[in-house]
Amino acid sequence: MNESPSSIPPPVGTVHLVGAGPGDPDLLTLRAARLIGSTKLIVHDGLVDPAILALAHPAAKLVSVAKSRARHTMPQHEINALLVAAALTGHDVVRLKGGDPFVFGRGGEEAEACRAAGVPVAIVPGITAATGAAAAAQIPLTHRDSASIVSFVAGQCKGLTEQDWSGLAGKGRTLVIYMGVATSEAISEKLMTDGLAPDVPVAVIENASRPEMRVLRGPLAGLPSLVATHRVKSPALIVIGDVTAEPEQELRKLALEVEK
Ligand code: SAH
């Protein structure tokens, strides 16, 4: 028996996990910009800058699943279900995430959920906060003279208490901490207990690449007071290591060495 046209299921849509970068729309990839401008359903999280959402197609439906440490407006399993349901009813979806979808973005979980449901999924990389902030603050994450290892870690409670960070920071290393503002005191204590000197230079970069960006510097031991005094708020990154030293300080060190 032939199926009537109405009973033929619509073709399955594709879920694009798209990195929106650190904020500045100029830092989108061309592929991200094209998909944002042409896809009729955009599911985005709270970190995506309004200037990027403004690039959406006028007829696009924008769904916010805003997440922050304190506020979960939509649990992850519901986000997964939303993406899958939209694709199975024939819609292409842009799942827009701050930075890169596969760096602390739970993109892995969303891709798994799509694949498990037979929904095609494509990943569009974005500039992750670490490289975006490093560029904006002119802090090279690696440097031939001072850092040849760089690590990205999650600084929220679980990452802090369950992971071994020993060896990630120190001479020749740069440590970049995502989601670490609220736990900055525990972070500096943990690193100093692991043997890091209290005067290791640290930078905190808030709202990297956005007009309201702030870059604050100080020693590791002073990290909690730096965050508290300047009332640093999310999104902010903590970068630890010699690459964060003030350029003038580096020059002074060089001059002293030349004098010797
Ligand atoms: N997938 C994202 C990270 C999500 S986790 C990425 O690849 O960048 C969220 C954390 O990212 C924030 O707590 C903050 O530490 C960092 N972050 C994101 N955007 C930022 C920005 N514009 N400036 C500073 N840090 C940012």
Side-chain angles (χ1 to χ4, degrees), residues 21-24 45 47 97-106 126-130 132-133 177-181 205-210 213 234-238:
D24 182 347
D45 62 29
L47 273 183
K97 291 167 168 292
D100 183 280
F102 276 2
V103 180
F104 304 127
R106 303 189 76 165
I127 292 181
T128 190
I177 303 167
Y178 288 65
M179 298 172 279
V181 169
I205 306 149
E206 182 189 64
N207 280 309
S209 89
R210 300 183 176 149
M213 175 172 91
S234 182
L237 272 190
I238 301 169

Side-chain angles (χ1 to χ4, degrees), residues 41-125:
L41 177 58
I42 296 180
V43 178
H44 64 92
D45 62 29
L47 273 183
V48 177
D49 203 275
I52 288 175
L53 296 176
L55 302 175
H57 189 282
K61 185 173 173 205
L62 270 62
V63 178
S64 169
V65 292
K67 267 189 291 184
S68 73
R69 226 174 58 87
R71 204 167 46 100
H72 265 256
T73 51
M74 197 185 276
Q76 188 63 46
H77 69 271
E78 282 180 30
I79 299 176
N80 298 351
L82 171 72
L83 300 176
V84 165
L88 291 179
T89 48
H91 301 284
D92 286 336
V93 186
V94 161
R95 171 69 176 110
L96 196 54
K97 291 167 168 292
D100 183 280
F102 276 2
V103 180
F104 304 127
R106 303 189 76 165
E109 293 163 52
E110 293 176 11
E112 275 163 28
C114 290
R115 282 194 293 265
V119 168
V121 59
I123 317 299
V124 182

Side-chain angles (χ1 to χ4, degrees), residues 221-245:
L223 174 65
S225 62
L226 191 69
V227 165
T229 312
H230 296 274
R231 296 175 200 278
V232 177
K233 296 217 171 54
S234 182
L237 272 190
I238 301 169
V239 184
I240 297 176
D242 287 341
V243 293
T244 66

